[in-house]
Amino acid sequence: MPRRYGANPAATAILVIADITALILILWIAFFLVDANTANDVVSWVRNAADWLSGWSRDMFHIQSDTWRTVVNYGLPAVVYLLIGHALAGRVGRS
């Protein structure tokens, strides 16, 4: 079974990094929506990582609702990382 983007390990690495980055951000959104215990080590680690990954876009929009503010402030960078990562991997994979 052929791997995505052929056997180019650089494209595969870019895809994995982009996907893990988006997964961390989406995981924090899910933790926030279910009101996960932020004193838990895993939840705390995910929140800190998501804060760092979304630092460039957090509070870009002023939304009153905490739920929507979290979804937008962490969802936007997740989408951007996926789009850029997959586009870059596609370009590298064709090289």
Side-chain angles (χ1 to χ4, degrees), residues 35-90:
D35 198 26
N37 179 10
T38 55
N40 179 284
D41 289 340
V42 173
V43 175
S44 177
W45 183 89
V46 169
R47 180 179 186 174
N48 291 335
D51 282 346
W52 185 80
L53 291 168
S54 67
W56 60 269
S57 70
R58 237 182 12 259
D59 298 329
M60 187 180 291
F61 305 102
H62 297 288
I63 301 170
Q64 295 298 322
S65 167
D66 288 340
T67 301
W68 282 108
R69 185 173 48 247
T70 300
V71 169
V72 170
N73 286 333
Y74 293 94
L76 175 66
V79 170
V80 169
Y81 288 133
L82 282 174
L83 290 175
I84 291 173
H86 283 252
L88 187 59

